[in-house]
Amino acid sequence: MKKRMIMTVLAGSSLLISQNIFASEVSFIPRASVGISHYSATWDIAAQWSDWGGDGNFNVLDLEDDLLTGGFGLTLAAGKFYFDASLEQTMEGSDELAEENSGEMVTRDFDVFAYALTVGYNITGGLSAFGGWNGHETSISSQYNAGDFDSTFSSAGWFLGLSYGWAISENSTFSVKAAYALLEGDIEGEELFNDNTKVLISSDAGDAAGATIGMSWKSYLTDSLSYTVSADWYNYTYEDFTNEFHLVEGENTRPLPTETSTSDIDEESYTFRLALSYLF
């Protein structure tokens, strides 16, 4: 379904640009960026175990670190329309969390991969509207005395926003933007114990609504080469994940029955970037 929606965005943006291509020349603007992102995420599970009795309320992860980022993007502009595609990958970060039962301090390593497809339209002057599809994937791994834990948290969804830019000089522009996103998340996890048994965790249908705001300064070094300094922030809270747990013993896999099991994830990021672009 996600691939189908991505293709819908691509098809729609291609139509917009093709309709306008006869009125204006199409510009190709590739870019590369580096930056640093202060990323944080918490994942809490509440479960009532039918077999074992009692409630299990525990924190699966609590991540926070400064991550170096690198990314690539391409903008196609024609008249008042533009289409943009971007990819970004962070370096690996780490954080420590006390294990729920033993109190052992466990280091969790993680990284984040993000992508976005955007269609925009210049309404008038410096005011533009934009929307599209974006998503990201956070991969987490850790080792502790009882075993290993690996998980992946991914989310994707639609966003819609406005931006406004001011020409500060003949070669420089300052702009601000704000967007609202509706996302859906998925969680996959595996905990492998030293006795070779494992617990599989899967959760889906975690819905989130959140905001993104940003600002940027763009200046041309030559007629074609430009640099952009930007700062972006987003905050998403995912709720109503439905969890499933399975115990794997050798070749046998059986569900761990729970009367109720839910997850919440809170995610926040501050990112500063420096990008170089070239206009063709």
Side-chain angles (χ1 to χ4, degrees):
M1 182 175 181
K2 291 179 182 177
K3 290 182 179 178
R4 202 159 53 240
M5 289 186 176
I6 291 175
M7 293 306 297
T8 300
V9 176
L10 283 169
S13 62
S14 298
L15 176 61
L16 289 174
I17 291 177
S18 64
Q19 288 175 338
N20 209 43
I21 193 170
F22 298 106
S24 259
E25 181 181 353
V26 177
S27 298
F28 297 85
I29 313 169
R31 69 181 180 277
S33 66
V34 294
I36 185 167
S37 175
H38 184 81
Y39 178 85
S40 62
T42 59
W43 175 13
D44 297 310
I45 288 181
Q48 188 175 42
W49 302 95
S50 301
D51 280 358
W52 302 337
D55 293 329
N57 299 304
F58 55 96
N59 178 250
V60 178
L61 63 85
D62 191 352
L63 305 176
E64 185 172 7
D65 202 2
D66 295 320
L67 309 174
L68 297 177
T69 70
F72 297 95
L74 174 66
T75 301
L76 279 68
K80 289 191 171 186
F81 292 97
Y82 71 87
F83 167 71
D84 185 84
S86 64
L87 300 172
E88 188 171 60
Q89 175 70 55
T90 73
M91 299 289 285
E92 190 174 83
S94 63
D95 200 359
E96 284 191 332
L97 175 70
E99 205 276 330
E100 190 74 22
N101 297 318
S102 67
E104 174 192 356
M105 294 303 296
V106 178
T107 298
R108 303 192 187 278
D109 299 320
F110 63 97
D111 63 77
V112 183
F113 171 75
Y115 62 89
L117 301 171
T118 306
V119 179
Y121 177 75
N122 177 243
I123 299 171
T124 180
L127 180 63
S128 297
F130 62 89
W133 179 266
N134 69 354
H136 63 279
E137 181 177 282
T138 304
S139 302
I140 307 109
S141 63
S142 59
Q143 294 181 327
Y144 58 104
N145 289 337
D148 301 334
F149 179 75
D150 296 298
S151 63
T152 300
F153 164 57
S154 58
S155 68
W158 297 102
F159 63 90
L160 185 65
L162 293 171
S163 65
Y164 196 90
W166 293 267
I168 305 302
S169 68
E170 183 178 351
N171 295 321
S172 301
T173 304
F174 175 75
S175 61
V176 295
K177 67 177 181 180
Y180 187 76
L182 296 174
L183 307 175
E184 183 175 294
D186 298 290
I187 302 169
E188 298 292 335
E190 177 181 293
E191 189 162 16
L192 176 63
F193 298 100
N194 293 332
D195 60 2
N196 289 326
T197 61
K198 68 175 69 173
V199 172
L200 304 179
I201 304 172
S202 62
S203 304
D204 56 22
D207 298 321
T212 300
I213 60 174
M215 62 181 66
S216 64
W217 173 276
K218 182 174 183 176
S219 186
Y220 277 88
L221 300 172
T222 69
D223 289 342
S224 299
L225 182 64
S226 65
Y227 73 89
T228 303
V229 179
S230 62
D232 297 285
W233 166 86
Y234 70 76
N235 179 253
Y236 303 128
T237 299
Y238 300 83
E239 298 177 331
D240 301 326
F241 281 100
T242 302
N243 303 318
E244 293 183 359
F245 300 85
H246 289 81
L247 179 65
V248 180
E249 297 175 299
E251 297 182 355
N252 299 317
T253 300
R254 66 180 179 88
L256 293 175
T258 58
E259 294 175 10
T260 58
S261 179
T262 58
S263 290
D264 294 325
I265 289 181
D266 291 315
E267 187 179 40
E268 187 174 42
S269 175
Y270 301 87
T271 304
F272 300 91
R273 296 182 184 88
L274 172 63
L276 287 177
S277 305
Y278 196 88
L279 173 63
F280 289 95

